[in-house]
């Protein structure tokens, strides 16, 4: 080893290389231990680490020594070869390092986007259902009003003013009351059916957030668990969408929102039709609007579950950026030090070794001849 090599530079490069190799060995050992014995996996990983470290530290030392050699095609070719080999190892190592320092985060993000999409759809469906159930008070109001008017029409013809008893108007009011009662009953039954599905969906969301704390699973095991939970949430949301009561509100709107022509076809007078429309048409409009919202929630699209690639994760989330830069710095740290040392040596020629003399040449004669020539030039100037 040349005496020109700075001990600080050598120590710094060796330390960075040792940390880099250690992280790679750690990650390799955990990968090998998944399907085998931990002890055997450690021995294999450590053996590979020793071989790689020995190779790379030798390349680093050779690079430091070449930095003090005079410029030549051979020096350039040797340094180029060192950096090509070092870069290949560093890229693999950076990948290992990123798994080591941000593996959980990377694997979580690979399925997080799809899971978040399902959470968003679940939230939209839940909100649509909540609004639908909030309409029960309006439905009850329609039922009570229609029922009261029906009794009033039979007893005193208060709506049609064309005679008491059963008739077209009382029959229509009875139909409205029955439709509203059935809608209220359907929503009550549906509420009881939907409640456990919402609890199940919320449970899957909770389990997804807890996966990263499961110490018995490696990175791949956690990713598989997250994918399973994403699939289960997908299925639950689809079940919820299938239960959205669009038909209930369509039926209410159809029953309450009859046109003037329809009333006439039922032999209901314009005055009676006007009273009924004035009372129930606002409800019909409200139920029609609710049906539109429910149809939209029923068809919210959820893309298939898929894992994002590493490039997609790096470009989609800034959370990984610090870990990515750290992994690059660890993997390329030794070789950045070598590059700095080479550039520094090039700028200080006095640190470089003098060119070697050809075989058989007399170094002293060569040196003296230049000394004499310098003396002649100096005398000529004077």
């Amino acid at each position: 080893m040349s005496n020109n090599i700075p001990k600080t530079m050598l120590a710094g490069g060796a330390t960075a290389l040792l940390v880099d190799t250690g992280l790679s060995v750690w990650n390799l050992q955990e990968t090998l231990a998944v399907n085998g014995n931990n002890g055997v996996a450690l021995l294999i990983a450590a053996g590979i680490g020793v071989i790689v470290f020995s190779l790379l530290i030798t390349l680093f030392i050779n690079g430091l020594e070449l930095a003090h050699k005079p410029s030549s095609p051979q020096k350039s070719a040797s340094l180029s070869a060192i950096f090509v080999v070092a870069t290949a190892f560093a890229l693999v190592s950076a990948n290992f390092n990123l798994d080591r320092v941000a593996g959980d985060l990377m694997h979580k993000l690979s399925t997080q986007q799809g899971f978040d999409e399902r959470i968003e759809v679940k939230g939209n469906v839940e909100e649509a259902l909540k609004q639908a159930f909030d309409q029960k008070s309006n439905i009850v109001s329609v039922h009570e009003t229609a029922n009261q008017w029906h009794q009033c029409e039979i007893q005193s013809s208060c709506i049609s003013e064309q005679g008491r008893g059963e008739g077209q108007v009382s029959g229509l009011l009875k139909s409205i009351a029955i439709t509203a009662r059935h809608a209220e009953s359907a929503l009550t039954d549906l509420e009881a059916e939907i409640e456990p599905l919402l609890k199940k969906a919320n449970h899957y969301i909770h389990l997804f957030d807890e996966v990263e704390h499961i110490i018995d699973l490696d990175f791949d095991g956690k990713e598989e668990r997250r994918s399973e939970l994403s699939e289960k949430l997908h299925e639950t949301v689809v079940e919820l969408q299938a239960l959205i009561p669009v038909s209930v509100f369509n039926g209410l709107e159809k029953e309450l929102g009859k046109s003037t022509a329809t009333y006439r076809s039922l032999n209901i007078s314009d005055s009676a039709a006007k009273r009924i429309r004035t009372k129930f048409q606002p409800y019909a409009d409200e139920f029609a609007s609710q049906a539109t919202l429910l149809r939209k929630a029923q068809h919210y699209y959820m893309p298939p579950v898929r894992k994002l690639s590493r490039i997609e994760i790096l470009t989609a989330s800034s959370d990984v950026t610090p870990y990515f830069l750290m992994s690059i710095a660890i993997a390329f740290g030794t070789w950045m030090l070598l590059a700095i040392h080479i550039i520094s040596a090039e700028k200080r020629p006095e640190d470089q070794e003098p060119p070697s003399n050809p075989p058989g040449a007399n170094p002293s004669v060569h040196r003296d001849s230049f000394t004499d020539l310098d003396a002649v030039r100096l005398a000529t100037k004077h």
Side-chain angles (χ1 to χ4, degrees), residues 258-332:
K258 290 181 173 64
S259 66
T260 302
T262 303
Y263 284 115
R264 287 175 178 171
S265 68
L266 295 173
N267 295 321
I268 296 175
S269 66
D270 289 347
S271 59
K274 183 178 180 180
R275 290 191 185 97
I276 296 172
R277 281 177 57 80
T278 300
K279 183 63 178 178
F280 294 112
Q281 187 60 48
Y283 289 111
D285 295 340
E286 180 70 19
F287 295 149
S289 176
Q290 186 63 55
T292 300
L293 292 175
L294 292 175
R295 272 193 297 272
K296 183 179 179 182
Q298 200 173 41
H299 295 95
Y300 279 128
Y301 174 69
M302 288 185 295
V305 176
R306 75 177 186 90
K307 300 174 185 176
L308 297 181
S309 67
R310 183 151 297 194
I311 297 299
E312 287 176 315
I313 294 172
L314 291 174
T315 54
S317 175
S318 59
D319 294 342
V320 186
T321 302
Y323 299 104
F324 174 71
L325 295 177
M326 184 192 305
S327 302
I328 292 293
I330 294 172
F332 285 88

Side-chain angles (χ1 to χ4, degrees), residues 104 107-108 111 115 204-230:
D104 249 350
H107 284 75
K108 181 179 180 179
T111 52
F115 197 78
Y204 291 146
I205 294 172
H206 172 73
L207 291 179
F208 187 92
D209 292 334
E210 292 296 316
V211 169
E212 60 184 298
H213 304 302
I214 302 177
I215 60 176
D216 295 335
L217 293 177
D218 63 358
F219 294 147
D220 292 333
K222 291 178 180 179
E223 186 173 23
E224 183 179 349
R225 176 65 172 155
R226 291 188 182 104
S227 295
E228 290 175 357
L229 291 171
S230 190

